[in-house]
Amino acid sequence: MPMDWIYGLVGGVLIGCAGAFLLLGNGRVMGASGLVFGMFETIDRRIWIENLAFVSSLFIVPMLFVRPLNIGPTHASENVIVVAIAGLAVGFGTRLANGCTSGHGVCGISRFSLRGIAATMAYILAGAVSVVVFKHFLGAI
Amino acid sequence: MRILISLVSGALFGLGLIISGMTDTKKVQGWLDIFGEWDPTLAFVMGGAMLPMAIAWKATRVRTPLTADKFPATNTAGIDRDLIIGSVFFGIGWGLAGLCPGPAIASLSFGGSSGVVFASAMIIGMLSTRRLQTFFSKTENTTKTLT
Protein backbone atom coordinates (compact mmCIF):
# COMPACT_ATOMS: atom_id res chain seq x y z
CA MET A 1 0.00 0.00 0.00
CA PRO A 2 2.63 2.67 0.92
CA MET A 3 4.13 2.07 -2.54
CA ASP A 4 0.79 3.16 -4.02
CA TRP A 5 0.99 6.38 -2.06
CA ILE A 6 4.45 7.15 -3.46
CA TYR A 7 3.17 6.53 -7.00
CA GLY A 8 0.22 8.74 -6.12
CA LEU A 9 2.51 11.53 -4.95
CA VAL A 10 4.77 11.28 -8.01
CA GLY A 11 1.79 11.18 -10.37
CA GLY A 12 0.23 14.07 -8.47
CA VAL A 13 3.35 16.22 -8.91
CA LEU A 14 3.24 15.44 -12.66
CA ILE A 15 -0.43 16.49 -12.78
CA GLY A 16 0.47 19.70 -10.95
CA CYS A 17 3.31 20.33 -13.40
CA ALA A 18 0.89 19.84 -16.30
CA GLY A 19 -1.41 22.47 -14.81
CA ALA A 20 1.46 24.84 -14.01
CA PHE A 21 2.81 24.49 -17.56
CA LEU A 22 -0.55 25.29 -19.18
CA LEU A 23 -1.12 28.22 -16.82
CA LEU A 24 2.30 29.85 -17.17
CA GLY A 25 2.62 28.95 -20.85
CA ASN A 26 -0.79 29.65 -22.33
CA GLY A 27 -2.44 31.49 -19.46
CA ARG A 28 -5.17 28.86 -19.25
CA VAL A 29 -6.60 26.89 -16.36
CA MET A 30 -6.19 23.14 -16.80
CA GLY A 31 -9.69 21.81 -16.30
CA ALA A 32 -10.29 18.47 -17.99
CA SER A 33 -14.07 18.90 -18.25
CA GLY A 34 -13.76 22.37 -19.78
CA LEU A 35 -11.08 21.28 -22.25
CA VAL A 36 -13.10 18.23 -23.35
CA PHE A 37 -16.27 20.30 -23.67
CA GLY A 38 -14.33 22.95 -25.55
CA MET A 39 -13.74 20.47 -28.35
CA PHE A 40 -17.44 20.52 -29.08
CA GLU A 41 -18.41 24.11 -28.36
CA THR A 42 -15.71 26.65 -29.01
CA ILE A 43 -16.28 29.60 -31.28
CA ASP A 44 -12.61 30.63 -31.44
CA ARG A 45 -10.82 28.30 -33.85
CA ARG A 46 -7.38 28.85 -32.25
CA ILE A 47 -8.65 27.83 -28.83
CA TRP A 48 -10.43 24.84 -30.37
CA ILE A 49 -7.16 23.53 -31.84
CA GLU A 50 -5.44 23.95 -28.45
CA ASN A 51 -8.21 22.00 -26.74
CA LEU A 52 -7.95 19.29 -29.38
CA ALA A 53 -4.16 19.11 -28.90
CA PHE A 54 -4.50 18.78 -25.11
CA VAL A 55 -7.23 16.13 -25.22
CA SER A 56 -5.50 14.12 -27.98
CA SER A 57 -2.29 14.11 -25.99
CA LEU A 58 -4.20 13.10 -22.86
CA PHE A 59 -5.63 10.17 -24.83
CA ILE A 60 -2.57 9.06 -26.82
CA VAL A 61 0.24 9.32 -24.23
CA PRO A 62 -1.40 6.93 -21.71
CA MET A 63 -2.10 4.55 -24.62
CA LEU A 64 1.63 4.46 -25.41
CA PHE A 65 2.81 4.17 -21.79
CA VAL A 66 0.26 1.82 -20.29
CA ARG A 67 2.28 -1.30 -21.21
CA PRO A 68 5.85 -0.06 -20.60
CA LEU A 69 4.83 1.30 -17.19
CA ASN A 70 2.81 -1.81 -16.40
CA ILE A 71 -0.37 0.09 -15.51
CA GLY A 72 -3.24 -2.07 -14.27
CA PRO A 73 -6.79 -2.19 -15.62
CA THR A 74 -9.44 0.40 -14.74
CA HIS A 75 -11.66 -2.12 -12.90
CA ALA A 76 -14.66 -0.15 -14.17
CA SER A 77 -18.12 -1.61 -13.70
CA GLU A 78 -19.27 -3.93 -16.49
CA ASN A 79 -22.84 -2.79 -15.97
CA VAL A 80 -23.58 -0.58 -18.98
CA ILE A 81 -26.54 1.15 -17.31
CA VAL A 82 -24.54 2.06 -14.19
CA VAL A 83 -21.65 3.39 -16.27
CA ALA A 84 -23.96 5.35 -18.61
CA ILE A 85 -25.87 6.99 -15.75
CA ALA A 86 -22.60 7.87 -14.03
CA GLY A 87 -21.25 9.36 -17.25
CA LEU A 88 -24.35 11.50 -17.79
CA ALA A 89 -24.21 12.76 -14.18
CA VAL A 90 -20.51 13.61 -14.48
CA GLY A 91 -20.98 15.38 -17.82
CA PHE A 92 -24.01 17.38 -16.70
CA GLY A 93 -22.62 18.18 -13.24
CA THR A 94 -19.20 19.36 -14.39
CA ARG A 95 -20.77 21.69 -16.98
CA LEU A 96 -23.28 23.13 -14.52
CA ALA A 97 -20.56 23.64 -11.91
CA ASN A 98 -18.07 24.74 -14.59
CA GLY A 99 -15.30 22.40 -13.43
CA CYS A 100 -14.25 19.01 -12.13
CA THR A 101 -11.45 17.46 -10.06
CA SER A 102 -8.71 19.15 -12.08
CA GLY A 103 -10.27 22.59 -12.52
CA HIS A 104 -11.94 23.13 -9.16
CA GLY A 105 -9.78 20.67 -7.21
CA VAL A 106 -6.19 20.94 -8.41
CA CYS A 107 -6.26 24.44 -9.93
CA GLY A 108 -8.88 25.97 -7.63
CA ILE A 109 -7.69 24.88 -4.21
CA SER A 110 -4.06 25.73 -5.01
CA ARG A 111 -5.05 29.39 -5.52
CA PHE A 112 -7.30 29.27 -2.43
CA SER A 113 -10.39 29.94 -4.55
CA LEU A 114 -13.55 29.78 -2.43
CA ARG A 115 -15.53 28.47 -5.42
CA GLY A 116 -12.97 25.69 -5.96
CA ILE A 117 -12.94 24.71 -2.30
CA ALA A 118 -16.76 24.73 -2.04
CA ALA A 119 -17.15 22.68 -5.25
CA THR A 120 -14.53 20.16 -4.13
CA MET A 121 -16.20 19.72 -0.74
CA ALA A 122 -19.57 19.25 -2.47
CA TYR A 123 -18.42 16.60 -4.95
CA ILE A 124 -16.34 14.68 -2.41
CA LEU A 125 -19.26 14.62 0.01
CA ALA A 126 -21.69 13.60 -2.75
CA GLY A 127 -19.18 11.00 -3.97
CA ALA A 128 -18.81 9.48 -0.51
CA VAL A 129 -22.60 9.33 -0.07
CA SER A 130 -22.89 7.86 -3.57
CA VAL A 131 -20.42 5.06 -2.75
CA VAL A 132 -22.14 4.33 0.55
CA VAL A 133 -25.61 4.18 -1.07
CA PHE A 134 -24.72 2.33 -4.27
CA LYS A 135 -22.17 -0.03 -2.75
CA HIS A 136 -23.28 -0.73 0.78
CA PHE A 137 -27.07 -0.32 0.46
CA LEU A 138 -27.90 -1.18 -3.14
CA GLY A 139 -24.90 -3.35 -4.01
CA ALA A 140 -24.82 -1.83 -7.51
CA ILE A 141 -21.02 -1.42 -7.52
CA MET B 1 3.88 27.38 -29.62
CA ARG B 2 0.53 27.43 -27.82
CA ILE B 3 -0.36 24.10 -29.45
CA LEU B 4 2.96 22.62 -28.37
CA ILE B 5 2.38 23.75 -24.78
CA SER B 6 -1.10 22.18 -24.87
CA LEU B 7 0.38 18.91 -26.17
CA VAL B 8 3.06 18.76 -23.47
CA SER B 9 0.58 19.66 -20.73
CA GLY B 10 -1.85 16.96 -21.90
CA ALA B 11 1.00 14.44 -21.99
CA LEU B 12 2.16 15.28 -18.44
CA PHE B 13 -1.44 15.14 -17.22
CA GLY B 14 -1.99 11.74 -18.84
CA LEU B 15 1.25 10.31 -17.45
CA GLY B 16 0.49 11.68 -13.99
CA LEU B 17 -2.97 10.14 -14.04
CA ILE B 18 -1.82 6.63 -14.99
CA ILE B 19 1.23 6.65 -12.67
CA SER B 20 -0.79 7.90 -9.71
CA GLY B 21 -3.33 5.11 -10.18
CA MET B 22 -6.22 7.51 -10.74
CA THR B 23 -7.33 5.56 -13.81
CA ASP B 24 -8.08 2.66 -11.44
CA THR B 25 -11.71 3.15 -10.44
CA LYS B 26 -11.23 0.93 -7.37
CA LYS B 27 -8.66 3.38 -5.96
CA VAL B 28 -10.95 6.37 -6.46
CA GLN B 29 -13.98 4.59 -5.04
CA GLY B 30 -11.75 3.27 -2.25
CA TRP B 31 -10.91 6.84 -1.28
CA LEU B 32 -14.57 7.83 -1.21
CA ASP B 33 -15.53 4.65 0.66
CA ILE B 34 -15.15 5.89 4.22
CA PHE B 35 -17.12 2.94 5.63
CA GLY B 36 -15.21 0.32 3.64
CA GLU B 37 -11.51 -0.34 3.19
CA TRP B 38 -10.39 3.28 2.89
CA ASP B 39 -7.62 3.98 0.36
CA PRO B 40 -5.75 7.27 0.97
CA THR B 41 -3.95 7.35 -2.41
CA LEU B 42 -6.13 10.14 -3.86
CA ALA B 43 -5.12 12.48 -1.04
CA PHE B 44 -1.45 11.97 -1.97
CA VAL B 45 -2.23 12.71 -5.62
CA MET B 46 -4.09 15.92 -4.71
CA GLY B 47 -1.34 16.96 -2.31
CA GLY B 48 1.37 16.30 -4.88
CA ALA B 49 -0.48 18.32 -7.52
CA MET B 50 -0.94 21.28 -5.15
CA LEU B 51 2.80 21.97 -4.87
CA PRO B 52 3.65 22.91 -8.49
CA MET B 53 0.26 24.60 -8.91
CA ALA B 54 0.65 26.81 -5.84
CA ILE B 55 4.08 27.91 -7.07
CA ALA B 56 2.61 28.61 -10.52
CA TRP B 57 -0.21 30.75 -9.08
CA LYS B 58 2.35 32.70 -7.06
CA ALA B 59 4.33 33.32 -10.24
CA THR B 60 1.23 34.72 -11.98
CA ARG B 61 1.46 37.78 -9.72
CA VAL B 62 4.81 38.91 -11.05
CA ARG B 63 4.78 37.82 -14.70
CA THR B 64 2.61 37.27 -17.76
CA PRO B 65 2.01 33.97 -19.60
CA LEU B 66 4.63 32.95 -22.13
CA THR B 67 2.22 33.20 -25.07
CA ALA B 68 -0.58 35.49 -23.87
CA ASP B 69 -1.03 39.01 -22.50
CA LYS B 70 -2.68 38.13 -19.24
CA PHE B 71 -3.80 35.36 -16.94
CA PRO B 72 -7.44 34.26 -16.82
CA ALA B 73 -9.68 36.48 -14.70
CA THR B 74 -10.99 35.04 -11.48
CA ASN B 75 -14.61 33.93 -11.58
CA THR B 76 -16.36 36.44 -9.38
CA ALA B 77 -19.68 34.58 -9.30
CA GLY B 78 -19.02 33.41 -5.75
CA ILE B 79 -20.54 30.23 -4.41
CA ASP B 80 -23.84 29.96 -6.25
CA ARG B 81 -26.54 27.35 -6.70
CA ASP B 82 -25.25 25.98 -10.02
CA LEU B 83 -21.79 25.41 -8.55
CA ILE B 84 -23.13 23.32 -5.68
CA ILE B 85 -25.88 21.44 -7.55
CA GLY B 86 -23.52 20.70 -10.43
CA SER B 87 -20.81 19.47 -8.07
CA VAL B 88 -23.31 17.23 -6.26
CA PHE B 89 -24.38 15.66 -9.59
CA PHE B 90 -20.72 15.25 -10.53
CA GLY B 91 -19.93 13.65 -7.16
CA ILE B 92 -22.77 11.13 -7.49
CA GLY B 93 -21.52 10.02 -10.91
CA TRP B 94 -17.90 10.06 -9.74
CA GLY B 95 -18.69 7.75 -6.84
CA LEU B 96 -20.86 5.49 -8.98
CA ALA B 97 -18.26 4.85 -11.69
CA GLY B 98 -14.99 5.93 -10.04
CA LEU B 99 -14.18 8.08 -13.06
CA CYS B 100 -13.94 11.83 -13.59
CA PRO B 101 -13.33 13.63 -16.92
CA GLY B 102 -9.48 13.55 -16.90
CA PRO B 103 -9.03 9.84 -16.13
CA ALA B 104 -11.99 8.99 -18.40
CA ILE B 105 -10.04 10.33 -21.40
CA ALA B 106 -6.67 9.04 -20.17
CA SER B 107 -8.00 5.48 -19.82
CA LEU B 108 -10.12 5.49 -22.97
CA SER B 109 -7.55 3.43 -24.91
CA PHE B 110 -7.30 0.62 -22.35
CA GLY B 111 -10.55 0.88 -20.35
CA GLY B 112 -12.61 -1.41 -22.61
CA SER B 113 -16.24 -0.88 -23.53
CA SER B 114 -17.19 0.51 -20.09
CA GLY B 115 -14.73 3.34 -20.60
CA VAL B 116 -16.16 4.13 -24.03
CA VAL B 117 -19.74 4.09 -22.70
CA PHE B 118 -18.76 6.36 -19.79
CA ALA B 119 -16.94 8.88 -21.98
CA SER B 120 -19.76 8.96 -24.55
CA ALA B 121 -22.40 9.46 -21.85
CA MET B 122 -20.24 12.15 -20.24
CA ILE B 123 -20.00 14.09 -23.50
CA ILE B 124 -23.76 13.73 -24.09
CA GLY B 125 -24.30 15.02 -20.54
CA MET B 126 -22.01 17.99 -21.20
CA LEU B 127 -23.72 18.90 -24.46
CA SER B 128 -27.23 18.67 -23.02
CA THR B 129 -26.46 20.85 -19.99
CA ARG B 130 -27.29 24.20 -21.56
CA ARG B 131 -30.51 22.82 -23.03
CA LEU B 132 -31.58 21.45 -19.64
CA GLN B 133 -30.64 24.75 -18.00
CA THR B 134 -32.81 26.77 -20.38
CA PHE B 135 -35.63 24.26 -19.87
CA PHE B 136 -35.44 24.56 -16.10
CA SER B 137 -35.14 28.35 -16.04
CA LYS B 138 -38.19 28.49 -18.37
CA THR B 139 -40.30 26.23 -16.14
CA GLU B 140 -39.13 28.23 -13.16
CA ASN B 141 -40.25 31.47 -14.81
CA THR B 142 -43.60 29.93 -15.72
CA THR B 143 -44.22 28.81 -12.16
CA LYS B 144 -43.26 32.27 -10.98
CA THR B 145 -45.74 33.94 -13.32
CA LEU B 146 -48.42 31.42 -12.37
CA THR B 147 -48.02 32.08 -8.67
Side-chain angles (χ1 to χ4, degrees):
Chain A
M1 269 305 193
M3 208 52 208
D4 287 6
W5 306 346
I6 296 167
Y7 283 128
L9 198 64
V10 172
V13 170
L14 279 173
I15 295 167
C17 287
F21 201 65
L22 199 67
L23 181 69
L24 297 177
N26 286 358
R28 293 192 63 190
V29 175
M30 187 190 74
S33 58
L35 287 156
V36 171
F37 179 69
M39 282 177 37
F40 297 93
E41 283 208 9
T42 304
I43 306 133
D44 189 333
R45 202 178 151 72
R46 256 188 36 209
I47 300 286
W48 181 80
I49 293 170
E50 286 175 34
N51 293 346
L52 182 71
F54 182 92
V55 177
S56 312
S57 197
L58 176 61
F59 167 75
I60 292 165
V61 170
M63 180 169 74
L64 300 175
F65 281 88
V66 74
R67 269 173 191 282
L69 293 177
N70 206 12
I71 305 298
T74 59
H75 296 118
S77 167
E78 300 280 333
N79 188 329
V80 178
I81 298 165
V82 166
V83 175
I85 291 172
L88 285 171
V90 168
F92 171 72
T94 51
R95 272 343 289 151
L96 192 64
N98 204 21
C100 58
T101 337
S102 45
H104 282 315
V106 173
C107 297
I109 296 176
S110 59
R111 82 188 314 187
F112 305 108
S113 148
L114 284 180
R115 273 175 64 85
I117 293 167
T120 305
M121 277 163 48
Y123 65 68
I124 287 176
L125 210 65
V129 171
S130 173
V131 167
V132 168
V133 171
F134 288 113
K135 186 180 170 187
H136 297 296
F137 285 107
L138 302 174
I141 49 175
Chain B
M1 186 63 186
R2 287 179 64 91
I3 294 169
L4 186 69
I5 290 169
S6 303
L7 283 170
V8 174
S9 175
L12 286 172
F13 189 32
L15 277 179
L17 284 172
I18 57 171
I19 289 171
S20 63
M22 290 300 100
T23 49
D24 184 348
T25 59
K26 289 283 162 282
K27 274 211 169 61
V28 175
Q29 287 174 331
W31 190 75
L32 292 168
D33 192 5
I34 39 174
F35 294 119
E37 206 180 305
W38 192 62
D39 184 337
T41 309
L42 196 144
F44 284 85
V45 182
M46 269 285 182
M50 290 300 149
L51 299 168
M53 273 317 294
I55 296 167
W57 283 120
K58 239 191 165 95
T60 61
R61 289 187 200 157
V62 289
R63 47 161 296 167
T64 52
L66 204 63
T67 63
D69 308 326
K70 55 180 190 304
F71 285 107
T74 330
N75 191 331
T76 50
I79 300 163
D80 54 20
R81 202 182 58 166
D82 282 356
L83 181 78
I84 301 302
I85 294 176
S87 295
V88 167
F89 267 95
F90 165 42
I92 292 169
W94 191 39
L96 187 55
L99 282 168
C100 51
I105 303 298
S107 67
L108 201 52
S109 58
F110 61 92
S113 55
S114 298
V116 176
V117 170
F118 181 88
S120 314
M122 179 179 86
I123 290 165
I124 293 168
M126 285 176 168
L127 296 177
S128 50
T129 305
R130 196 170 299 160
R131 216 157 289 171
L132 284 169
Q133 266 179 303
T134 11
F135 175 74
F136 281 121
S137 59
K138 260 184 201 153
T139 41
E140 204 169 82
N141 288 341
T142 340
T143 19
K144 266 180 199 157
T145 36
L146 285 174
T147 52

